[in-house]
Amino acid sequence: MKFVAFERAKQGTGASRRLRYTGRTPGIVYGGTAEPSLIELDHNALWHALKKEAFHSSILDMELNGKSNQVLLRDVQMHPYKPLVLHIDFQRVDANTKLHMKVPLHYSGEENSPAVKDKALVNHIVTELEVSCLPKDLPEFIAVDLSKLTKGASLHLNDITLPKGVTAVTHGKTNPVLVAVVAPAGEEEAAPAAEAAPADAKAAPAKAAPAKAPAKK
């Protein structure tokens, strides 16, 4: 995905505020062997680009001074309540250095799964996965097929196949759950009732009422 950036001559709070008045967004590009570069972008073009998933999760081609630079989006500062991008940060990409990036998971096929046909509820616990890979191996997204998901079984990280050269970063978690399958509400309510029935059957029988004393003559 490509976008155009321009060199920014001035920095500081006042300069950035004046820049926003002209429909531009201040930003910075850092990383690699070069010094950080102050940049500015057209706000409207940036606003529309930020609505695209690929702008957040893939390597971007930034045109600056007629040259193409490969960068990653690293931070966006938004106005608290206005539709306004206050500042944006990009990181240069080194082709020989592994990077850490969050990649969206694209789930499909759950409507055809045995779980859904059995009226079970499918909850997407994880919607993006942090990965480690070289820039050339970074996927825009990871496709996950849920068509074989069954009731009572959940999908874990080890159950999916990652693209070649891509490793998941789990921060110490062992085989985390990606998708959980929950039984229908009616079955969840019926189970406790079924468990309670045998317990009631084993309850001690009620004591017989004491016999009445014979009436005095």
Side-chain angles (χ1 to χ4, degrees):
M1 188 172 178
K2 297 182 179 180
F3 69 98
V4 179
F6 307 91
E7 277 192 347
R8 177 160 55 101
K10 297 181 180 180
Q11 58 180 316
T13 303
S16 295
R17 186 183 300 111
R18 289 189 293 272
L19 191 64
R20 296 185 193 104
Y21 287 151
T22 65
R24 300 274 183 157
T25 300
I28 189 171
V29 183
Y30 60 85
T33 56
E35 292 294 322
S37 300
L38 299 178
I39 60 171
E40 59 185 70
L41 297 86
D42 178 80
H43 183 272
N44 288 339
L46 176 61
W47 180 261
H48 290 293
L50 286 170
K51 294 181 179 180
K52 298 178 180 179
E53 185 180 68
F55 198 75
H56 297 261
S57 60
S58 60
I59 295 174
L60 308 172
D61 290 321
M62 180 186 71
E63 182 183 328
L64 180 64
N65 293 333
K67 296 181 180 180
S68 180
N69 302 264
Q70 287 195 320
V71 298
L72 289 171
L73 175 63
R74 281 309 189 191
D75 187 50
V76 181
Q77 297 177 26
M78 304 293 298
H79 193 278
Y81 55 88
K82 293 181 181 179
L84 180 66
V85 184
L86 298 178
H87 195 275
I88 191 162
D89 295 3
F90 296 97
Q91 179 184 352
R92 297 186 186 94
V93 171
D94 181 355
N96 299 314
T97 302
K98 283 190 174 184
L99 49 84
H100 282 205
M101 196 75 179
K102 288 185 177 180
V103 176
L105 297 177
H106 284 189
Y107 295 111
S108 64
E110 69 179 73
E111 65 278 2
N112 300 319
S113 68
V116 171
K117 290 179 180 179
D118 288 339
K119 309 299 182 182
L121 302 177
V122 178
N123 293 330
H124 300 169
I125 306 300
V126 177
T127 57
E128 59 182 12
L129 187 66
E130 185 175 348
V131 300
S132 173
C133 63
L134 290 173
K136 67 180 182 63
D137 296 324
L138 180 66
E140 185 176 324
F141 61 87
I142 297 174
V144 181
D145 181 19
L146 301 181
S147 61
K148 296 182 180 180
L149 204 59
T150 58
K151 185 171 65 175
S154 296
L155 186 76
H156 292 72
L157 176 60
N158 291 350
D159 297 327
I160 69 172
T161 301
L162 297 176
K164 184 178 179 181
V166 176
T167 304
V169 180
T170 60
H171 300 286
K173 296 181 180 178
T174 304
N175 198 22
V177 176
L178 305 181
V179 176
V181 180
V182 181
E187 292 186 12
E188 290 180 351
E189 293 173 0
E195 293 175 1
D200 293 341
K202 295 178 182 179
K207 293 181 180 180
K212 292 183 179 180
K216 292 182 179 180
K217 295 182 179 180

